[in-house]
Structure formats: structure tokens, C-alpha cells
């Protein structure tokens, strides 16, 4: 049997390793994977492997017999020397690669801990010392030596400074990988484990047959697996926008948080364009997002940009100070409301920019996505929202959710606040809504009513209150203690919807409620153009016997004569008017003018926010008709209210 020709085989394997590494390199470059730190480290690895493969070829060529010429021997010495020096770099570089893939390397920059800094220094020194030991081999012969036959011989040092040293690095990288496995997709994890197994097999084979130049080839194969599954980020990409996708965002933010890295996110949301694209291919639908993503990419690097939903992008800033981050966010915000020009588009874009500190403001990717989904406050301008603005958005969104589930959950509750005549006799009550949400607890109407209005749910809610009031009146309990009527607040926009008057009349009919038992309160700020429509509704309900009150008088900006012409019998003077009347002279004038005007128009006035005896004296002097306020009672739950008025 012919003896295995290690020379030819070694040459072939080295050449293959070289060609495979070269192919990997070409692939990386062609697919433009060279921007990220991770990509760069990968390319360095390939470079080292190629150099090793070349050394391997030279070694096999020159080291085949003891009759080598002097020049060939010199080449052999040099190639072995370079091989050992560079091959020892592979494990630490691989470790560094893994620290990039798992996101741990960002610790070093911005927000890095002192401990990490020291660890880094220590690792660097370890690499330098080991390289120095290898570099000094011609003097020490610790690692290898050429015998008198010019043949290569391993020494004890190889097992410590090459194999032992590599094993420690690879083990450390493996532990790091295992600690971060949650943040890697399965294909990524498998590829790295594959790289380990193949590389290890190569090392073992070469350890047994030292002439069998298989190590570098196997390592190169392992790296090819890494190229296919780790460097190739197709699964992390959002092809429609050309950025990373939301899944990648979740993994990367989770990795950053778990590694204790502080990041700041520029969230760009509500990205819209002012016109529909005429060339309507599916892809151009995303032209606005693409344009913004491109801009963000130029600003902070395109591998830090994620598309996190329709019209939403996130840019992750790893090593920026507060002011740098704000400056960047502002420069993005400045571009909105203007025309954007890029290869793909020329159109006006709009969007809102948020700056979110992770983990201070949002400690998980889900929280960030929640902020990105929260409804934008009405009238928010284009300035960057950060810090406490974000709390506001989050709260607002939570209240929205609470309002949406409120009716279904039964978290709304109607409370009653008694009203009195000027000589302190019980007169009626105002129904005031309360919300006790399962998550937020008690929420006050000043907060949830505007939200309900915005969500278009106020109609249903007002109707719920009205039904409760009808049921309460139908029990005849309040009437027994002298409550003649109960006031129900109405949202003006809802009353103008068709069929409103008919529906409310029908409900009263069903409960057998008399018209005089219900007073509807509407706010003063009715727009002039709505006056005609609202008047029609009021007239219909008045013909059923209901009466009306103008609420919050003295706060609106509306057409006074128009509101007063609405046919309301009662005018509720806002509590702020009463309170300022006690503070300064002009306030006093406003209160007395209001009461006088109401009298002059033959209507009745109600003063809200009556808290002191002094208030009552003042109102009595002015000739106000009714009183409502904490002086008598705060709004109370139904049963407590009954107990209170029964006394
Ligand atoms: P509003 O209609 O002007 O109701 C009067 C508000 O003044 C009530 O606040 C009441 O608790 C408060 N108040 C009464 N007397 C005093 C006082 O002496 N001192 C102080 N500090 N406050 C007093 P509340 O219940 O928080 O309601 C706030 C607003 O929410 C109401 O203002 C009303 O605009 C709206 N709202 C409440 N319930 C409903 C409802 O069922 N439907 C609609 N559409 N709006 C409602
Ligand atoms: Ca009211
Ligand atoms: Ca009021």
C-alpha cells in the first residue's frame, strides 16, 4: 500500500483553506458586510486564516526533507515563525468576535464599568505577553525547535502557550456565549457551536498527525459556517425598509440591558408623507420610512437602525452623552415638515421624535415598543420628546387602555355631589363620574374625560351615567330626602349626533322619569357654528320637560350671547371665578358681573366650588341662587350620598 503523502495532502489542505477563506472574504465584501465592528473582526479572522494557510503551504513545500537548501530552510523558519505568531491570535480574536456578536463589547464604550475596563486591560496584556513568548522562541526554543536535520520539533511550551492558551480563550468565549444565549437566534447559536466542533476536530487531528495540515482548513470551514449564519443577517433584516427588524431590536435591547449597557434610543414615529405616491409598487409604500432610515443611518451608522413597526424607526446610540444624543435627535426632528430628497423620493415628510434612555425610562424592548405605540398627545409639536414627556405619554396610553376597558370592566361609578339653595336648603345633586381601574386604581375625570372624548367613547360613557341617574331617580330614594333634580354632564359633540334626543327621551320614558328631575349640563365653549344644531337638540329635550345648565361659565372663550341664547335655565359659574373673586378686585368684578348678567337674563345662577362661609356670604350678597361645593359635601358614592342627605 502506498504511504499517505502528507506533503501533497498538506499542500492541498492549505491551498483549500486559503481558497475557502478567500471566498468568504469575497462574499463578505460583495454583500457589503464590513461596516459593523463585528464584521471587521470577522474579516480580521479571515485575514489571519489566509496568512496561516499561506504559511502552511510554504512550510509543506520547504520542510519536506533534510536536504533542504539554505534558502528553503530560511523560508521554512520564517513561515513557521509567522504561523505561530498569528495563529495564536485566532482564539483571542474569536473571543472578541463573540463579545461583539453577543453585544458585550459595547460595555467598553459609554457607560462601561471600571471593572470591564480593567478586565479589558488584563486581557490585552495576556495577549501581548503570550505573543512576546512566541516571538522570543528563536532564543528560548520553548515552543518549537529545528533539529540538526533541519526538522521541526515541538517543545513543551507549545502545549502551554499554544494549546493551553487557546483552550482558555475558547472556553471563555463559550461561557460568554452561553451566558448570552437568550439574545441569539437558534441559527446563530448552532453556527457558532458548529464552528467550535469543526475547529476543535481540526486541532485534535493536527495534534495527533502534526504533518497533516488540517487545522487551518477546518477552522476556515468553521468560519464559513459563521459567515452563513452569523454574519449573514437576513433573518434580522426588514427588507421593506432596509434596516434591522423588530425581532432583532428586541434581542439587541435585551442584550444591552442584560450586559448593563446604557443606551439612548432615538425613536422616530408617526412617519408620514404628505401625498400618496403615484408610482404605487408595494415597496414604494415604505419610501418615507426608507428615506428616514437612510438619514438616520448616515447620522449614527446604518447597523444601529431598526424598523419597529409601520411608520416607526429606532436608532440605538451606544456611546453618546445626553447632549450629543439630544443634538442628534433634534437634527432629525428639524427635518420634518420639510421636503426630503433622496434617490427614491422627493416629498414632504412628517414624524415625531422621541429620545428614550434605556434602561432608565424603559428597561425592556417591550417597554420601548409600548412608548412607540402610545398615542401622541394632541397638539404635540415637532420638538423632541424625552424624559418626563415620555412618562406623560405612557400615562396617557395607560389611561386610554383603562377607558377602553372601563365600561366592560364595570370600573365606572357614578358619585353625587349635593347642591343647595342660597339659604342652605338641599336642592339637588350633580352626577359625577369616577373610575376605579384594575391597573391604575382611581383615576379622576379631569384626566379620563378628555381621553374618552378623544377616543370617541364619551357618548357611551355619558349615556351610562344618564342611565344610572335614571335608575337612581326611579328608586325615589333621593327624592325622599329632598333632592328635586339630578344634573348630568353631557359632551356637546355627542348631543349633536343624530337620534340623541330621541334616545335620551326613550330612556327616561322607560324609567318613568319626569322631565323636571333631570338637568343636563353642557359647557360654555360651544363653537358658534354648532349653536344652531345644539339648539335644535336642546329644544327637543326641553319639550320633554328636561332643563339645561351652562357649565363652567366664565372660563370659555365662546360667543357669550350665543351661549346664553341656548335656552338654558341655569348658569353654573365656574369655581375659578369664585376663587379669584376672593383674591383680587378684578376677580370680584367678574363674579358680580356674571351673577348680575344671569339675573338680567332671567336665568338662575349656580356657584360651584363653594368651600367657605365667606364664599356663601359673598354669593348671597350678589344674589346668587344655588350653591355647590366642599363646604357642603364632596361628591359621594350613591349609598354614602343617601346617608348624607338623610341627615
Ligand atoms: P364639572 O362639571 O365642572 O364638575 C365639577 C367639578 O368640581 C367636580 O370635579 C367636583 O368634584 C369639583 N368640585 C365641586 N365642588 C368643589 C369644591 O368646593 N372644591 C373643589 N376643589 N372642587 C369642587 P370632578 O368630579 O373631578 O369632575 C371634573 C370634570 O369632569 C367635571 O367638571 C366635568 O367636566 C367632567 N365630568 C365629570 N363627570 C362627567 C360625566 O359623567 N360626563 C361628562 N361628560 N363629564 C364629566
Ligand atoms: Ca358639571
Ligand atoms: Ca363646572
Amino acid at each position: 500500500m502506498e504511504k499517505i503523502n502528507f506533503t501533497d495532502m498538506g499542500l492541498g489542505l492549505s491551498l483549500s483553506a486559503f481558497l475557502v477563506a478567500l471566498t468568504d472574504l469575497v462574499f463578505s465584501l460583495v454583500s457589503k458586510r464590513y461596516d459593523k465592528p463585528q464584521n471587521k473582526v470577522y474579516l480580521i479572522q479571515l485575514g489571519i486564516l489566509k496568512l496561516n494557510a499561506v504559511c502552511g503551504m510554504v512550510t509543506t513545500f520547504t520542510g519536506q526533507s533534510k536536504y533542504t537548501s539554505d534558502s528553503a530552510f530560511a523560508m521554512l523558519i520564517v513561515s513557521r515563525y509567522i504561523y505561530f505568531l498569528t495563529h495564536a491570535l485566532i482564539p483571542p480574536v474569536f473571543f472578541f468576535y463573540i463579545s461583539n456578536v453577543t453585544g458585550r463589547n459595547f460595555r467598553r464604550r459609554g457607560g462601561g464599568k471600571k471593572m470591564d475596563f480593567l478586565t479589558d486591560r488584563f486581557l490585552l496584556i495576556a495577549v501581548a505577553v503570550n505573543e512576546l513568548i512566541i516571538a522570543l522562541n528563536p532564543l528560548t526554543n520553548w515552543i518549537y525547535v529545528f533539529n540538526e536535520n533541519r526538522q521541526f520539533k515541538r517543545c513543551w511550551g507549545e502545549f502551554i502557550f499554544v494549546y493551553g492558551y487557546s483552550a482558555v480563550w475558547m472556553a471563555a468565549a463559550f461561557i460568554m456565549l452561553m451566558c448570552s444565549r437568550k439574545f441569539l437566534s437558534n441559527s446563530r447559536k448552532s453556527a457558532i457551536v458548529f464552528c467550535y466542533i469543526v475547529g476543535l476536530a481540526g486541532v485534535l487531528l493536527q495534534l495527533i498527525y502534526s504533518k497533516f495540515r488540517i487545522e487551518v482548513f477546518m477552522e476556515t470551514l468553521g468560519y464559513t459556517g459563521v459567515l452563513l449564519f452569523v454574519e449573514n443577517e437576513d433573518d434580522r433584516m426588514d427588507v421593506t425598509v432596509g434596516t434591522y427588524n423588530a425581532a432583532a431590536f428586541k434581542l439587541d435591547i435585551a442584550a444591552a440591558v442584560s450586559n448593563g449597557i446604557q443606551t439612548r434610543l432615538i425613536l422616530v414615529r408617526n412617519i408620514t408623507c404628505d401625498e400618496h405616491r403615484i408610482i404605487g409598487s408595494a415597496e414604494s409604500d415604505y419610501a418615507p420610512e426608507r428615506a428616514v432610515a437612510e438619514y438616520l443611518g448616515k447620522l449614527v451608522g446604518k447597523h444601529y437602525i431598526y424598523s419597529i413597526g409601520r411608520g416607526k424607526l429606532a436608532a440605538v446610540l451606544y456611546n453618546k452623552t445626553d447632549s450629543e444624543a439630544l443634538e442628534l435627535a433634534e437634527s432629525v426632528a428639524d427635518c420634518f415638515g420639510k421636503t426630503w430628497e433622496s434617490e427614491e423620493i422627493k416629498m414632504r415628510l412628517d414624524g415625531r421624535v422621541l429620545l428614550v434612555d434605556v434602561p432608565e425610562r424603559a428597561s425592556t424592548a417591550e417597554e420601548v415598543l409600548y412608548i412607540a405605540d402610545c398615542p401622541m398627545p394632541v397638539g404635540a409639536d415637532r420638538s423632541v420628546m424625552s424624559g418626563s414627556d415620555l412618562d406623560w405619554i405612557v400615562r396617557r396610553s395607560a389611561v386610554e387602555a383603562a377607558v377602553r376597558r372601563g365600561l366592560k370592566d364595570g370600573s365606572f361609578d357614578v358619585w353625587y355631589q349635593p347642591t343647595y339653595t342660597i339659604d342652605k336648603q338641599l336642592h339637588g345633586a350633580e352626577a359625577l363620574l369616577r373610575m376605579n381601574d384594575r391597573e391604575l386604581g382611581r383615576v379622576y375625570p379631569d384626566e379620563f374625560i378628555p381621553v374618552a372624548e378623544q377616543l370617541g367613547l364619551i357618548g357611551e360613557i355619558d349615556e351610562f351615567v344618564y342611565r344610572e341617574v335614571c335608575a337612581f331617580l326611579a328608586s325615589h330614594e333621593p327624592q325622599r330626602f329632598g333632592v328635586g333634580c339630578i344634573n348630568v354632564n353631557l359632551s356637546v359633540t355627542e348631543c349633536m349626533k343624530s337620534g340623541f334626543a330621541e334616545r335620551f327621551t326613550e330612556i327616561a320614558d322607560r324609567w318613568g322619569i319626569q322631565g323636571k328631575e333631570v338637568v343636563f349640563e353642557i359647557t360654555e365653549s360651544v363653537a358658534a357654528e354648532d349653536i344652531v344644531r345644539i339648539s335644535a337638540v336642546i329644544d327637543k329635550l326641553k319639550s320633554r320637560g328636561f332643563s339645561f345648565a351652562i357649565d363652567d361659565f366664565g372660563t370659555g372663550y365662546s360667543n357669550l350671547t350665543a351661549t346664553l341664547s341656548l335656552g338654558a335655565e341655569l348658569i353654573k359659574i365656574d369655581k375659578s371665578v369664585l376663587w379669584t373673586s376672593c383674591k383680587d378686585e378684578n376677580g370680584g368684578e367678574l363674579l358680580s358681573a356674571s351673577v348680575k348678567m344671569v339675573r338680567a337674563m332671567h336665568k338662575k345662577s349656580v356657584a360651584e366650588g363653594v368651600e367657605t362661609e365667606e364664599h356663601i356670604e359673598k354669593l348671597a350678597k350678589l344674589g346668587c341662587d344655588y350653591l355647590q361645593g366642599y363646604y357642603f359635601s364632596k361628591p359621594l358614592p350613591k349609598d354614602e350620598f343617601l346617608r348624607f342627605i338623610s341627615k
Side-chain angles (χ1 to χ4, degrees):
M1 202 184 79
E2 207 180 319
K3 224 180 128 199
I4 297 175
N5 186 339
F6 278 121
T7 309
D8 289 350
M9 197 148 174
L11 202 59
L13 285 170
S14 295
L15 184 63
S16 309
F18 182 82
L19 292 177
V20 173
L22 187 67
T23 313
D24 290 351
L25 176 75
V26 171
F27 239 84
S28 299
L29 297 183
V30 167
S31 45
K32 297 206 174 69
R33 284 198 280 270
Y34 43 71
D35 285 336
K36 274 171 82 160
Q38 171 190 326
N39 301 150
K40 294 194 172 111
V41 180
Y42 182 78
L43 295 180
I44 290 173
Q45 304 267 66
L46 288 183
I48 297 176
L49 283 169
K50 271 186 287 168
L51 192 59
N52 287 173
V54 172
C55 291
M57 284 187 274
V58 175
T59 302
T60 351
F61 251 135
T62 53
Q64 32 186 301
S65 74
K66 55 183 176 177
Y67 307 112
T68 350
S69 69
D70 283 352
S71 58
F73 184 54
M75 276 173 76
L76 176 65
I77 290 173
V78 171
S79 75
R80 291 267 77 180
Y81 191 60
I82 295 177
Y83 178 86
F84 273 87
L85 274 176
T86 53
H87 199 72
L89 283 175
I90 286 188
V93 176
F94 182 74
F95 175 88
F96 188 54
Y97 180 74
I98 296 294
S99 93
N100 267 282
V101 173
T102 55
R104 293 177 79 87
N105 75 311
F106 288 112
R107 273 193 181 189
R108 188 166 301 108
R109 320 204 226 130
K113 296 180 198 134
K114 190 155 180 248
M115 198 52 221
D116 295 318
F117 180 75
L118 290 177
T119 317
D120 283 353
R121 279 294 134 98
F122 173 75
L123 296 181
L124 267 180
I125 290 170
V127 174
V129 167
N130 200 70
E131 286 294 302
L132 189 69
I133 290 170
I134 297 172
L136 291 177
N137 188 65
L139 302 177
T140 60
N141 291 338
W142 284 353
I143 294 164
Y144 61 83
V145 70
F146 288 96
N147 66 12
E148 56 281 10
N149 295 333
R150 295 182 169 185
Q151 260 171 345
F152 176 83
K153 286 281 173 282
R154 291 165 163 170
C155 302
W156 60 272
E158 188 181 11
F159 296 94
I160 297 173
F161 302 112
V162 179
Y163 289 106
Y165 171 79
S166 301
V168 171
W169 278 107
M170 296 308 273
F174 196 76
I175 291 167
M176 180 156 68
L177 188 67
M178 285 301 116
C179 291
S180 303
R181 63 187 182 282
K182 290 202 291 285
F183 316 122
L184 292 176
S185 65
N186 285 336
S187 61
R188 257 176 204 90
K189 264 179 291 194
S190 323
I192 296 176
V193 171
F194 167 78
C195 181
Y196 260 99
I197 295 171
V198 175
L200 197 66
V203 172
L204 288 177
L205 279 173
Q206 184 147 357
L207 199 61
I208 300 164
Y209 309 102
S210 68
K211 283 189 173 156
F212 193 30
R213 317 233 127 265
I214 195 157
E215 185 177 335
V216 174
F217 176 70
M218 295 285 266
E219 282 164 2
T220 314
L221 275 191
Y223 278 104
T224 307
V226 170
L227 174 73
L228 290 177
F229 292 98
V230 185
E231 287 293 286
N232 173 1
E233 297 191 297
D234 285 354
D235 60 325
R236 289 168 50 90
M237 297 306 285
D238 181 325
V239 281
T240 50
V241 185
T243 60
Y244 287 134
N245 58 26
F249 181 72
K250 286 184 191 158
L251 287 173
D252 293 356
I253 293 297
V257 171
S258 123
N259 286 326
I261 299 159
Q262 289 194 339
T263 58
R264 291 181 181 76
L265 305 180
I266 298 182
L267 284 188
V268 187
R269 43 174 292 185
N270 308 71
I271 301 172
T272 49
C273 60
D274 62 342
E275 74 215 54
H276 284 294
R277 303 265 302 149
I278 308 150
I279 352 143
S281 82
E283 205 171 81
S284 69
D285 282 352
Y286 289 87
E289 283 97 330
R290 294 178 77 99
V292 179
E294 194 187 321
Y295 178 79
L296 284 172
K298 280 192 191 125
L299 219 54
V300 302
K302 73 175 193 314
H303 41 274
Y304 299 119
I305 314 299
Y306 301 78
S307 165
I308 53 170
R310 195 69 218 262
K312 285 177 225 147
L313 295 168
V316 184
L317 313 175
Y318 279 104
N319 42 358
K320 297 276 188 284
T321 63
D322 277 334
S323 57
E324 284 169 339
L326 188 64
E327 207 172 290
L328 284 170
E330 275 167 352
S331 78
V332 181
D334 280 349
C335 299
F336 289 115
K338 294 182 188 140
T339 302
W340 288 58
E341 262 185 85
S342 71
E343 278 169 31
E344 279 184 83
I345 59 159
K346 183 176 180 202
M347 63 177 132
R348 273 171 71 91
L349 288 188
D350 212 340
R352 292 289 177 272
V353 182
L354 274 53
L355 189 60
V356 185
D357 283 358
V358 174
E360 286 83 2
R361 279 297 151 187
S363 55
T364 61
E366 283 69 24
E367 275 181 52
V368 176
L369 294 175
Y370 183 75
I371 295 178
D373 278 337
C374 282
M376 227 32 193
V378 196
D381 58 14
R382 291 202 181 88
S383 58
V384 175
M385 302 188 81
S386 63
S388 55
D389 304 340
L390 300 176
D391 293 342
W392 196 85
I393 297 182
V394 168
R395 170 75 187 176
R396 170 98 186 176
S397 180
V399 171
E400 265 203 34
V403 169
R404 281 184 205 278
R405 64 178 168 248
L407 284 173
K408 210 169 1 107
D409 274 15
S411 47
F412 288 121
D413 204 6
V414 181
W415 288 26
Y416 298 90
Q417 186 181 31
T419 56
Y420 291 81
T421 59
I422 195 72
D423 40 18
K424 299 186 185 174
Q425 297 300 306
L426 182 62
H427 168 70
E430 178 176 2
L432 291 160
L433 193 58
R434 294 292 177 263
M435 180 162 77
N436 200 358
D437 180 62
R438 60 175 139 103
E439 274 170 29
L440 298 180
R442 199 158 276 304
V443 185
Y444 283 89
D446 283 333
E447 186 173 20
F448 72 76
I449 295 282
V451 173
E453 279 173 347
Q454 218 194 334
L455 294 178
L457 294 171
I458 191 70
E460 271 175 74
I461 292 174
D462 281 349
E463 191 172 321
F464 162 79
V465 175
Y466 176 61
R467 285 176 191 273
E468 290 282 304
V469 168
C470 286
F472 191 31
L473 285 167
S475 72
H476 293 289
E477 290 279 302
Q479 293 90 328
R480 267 205 311 147
F481 304 110
V483 169
C485 58
I486 296 183
N487 293 20
V488 175
N489 291 285
L490 289 183
S491 148
V492 173
T493 45
E494 290 306 310
C495 332
M496 287 188 297
K497 294 200 172 142
S498 70
F500 176 84
E502 292 74 13
R503 206 169 61 250
F504 269 51
T505 305
E506 195 196 302
I507 294 169
D509 291 345
R510 210 180 311 144
W511 287 101
I513 304 298
Q514 296 176 41
K516 67 172 172 42
E517 289 174 318
V518 176
V519 179
F520 292 116
E521 296 189 6
I522 54 175
T523 53
E524 187 200 348
S525 53
V526 180
E529 63 265 29
D530 295 333
I531 294 284
V532 180
R533 281 164 71 195
I534 190 83
S535 290
V537 178
I538 290 179
D539 290 344
K540 264 190 214 162
L541 288 167
K542 277 178 72 171
S543 69
R544 166 66 170 75
F546 297 113
S547 46
F548 277 81
I550 300 293
D551 206 353
D552 303 341
F553 188 80
T555 57
Y557 317 89
S558 62
N559 182 339
L560 258 188
T561 37
T563 9
L564 289 174
S565 71
L566 276 175
E569 296 84 349
L570 274 174
I571 307 293
K572 295 189 79 170
I573 298 165
D574 194 75
K575 46 189 179 282
S576 63
V577 177
L578 174 63
W579 295 344
T580 43
S581 80
C582 300
K583 275 190 227 136
D584 64 77
E585 223 162 83
N586 289 342
E589 286 303 317
L590 179 60
L591 179 68
S592 78
S594 303
V595 177
K596 269 185 210 150
M597 184 156 67
V598 175
R599 284 186 83 85
M601 301 188 74
H602 308 291
K603 295 174 191 287
K604 303 271 185 196
S605 53
V606 186
E608 276 185 337
V610 175
E611 293 188 342
T612 59
E613 194 67 54
E614 188 203 343
H615 285 155
I616 302 182
E617 278 165 25
K618 183 179 250 179
L619 290 161
K621 242 182 256 162
L622 290 171
C624 181
D625 301 286
Y626 301 106
L627 308 169
Q628 177 181 355
Y630 291 180
Y631 175 84
F632 300 103
S633 169
K634 289 190 173 183
L636 299 169
K638 194 169 79 182
D639 295 340
E640 265 179 62
F641 172 73
L642 282 175
R643 231 174 294 140
F644 177 79
I645 58 173
S646 69
K647 284 188 202 140

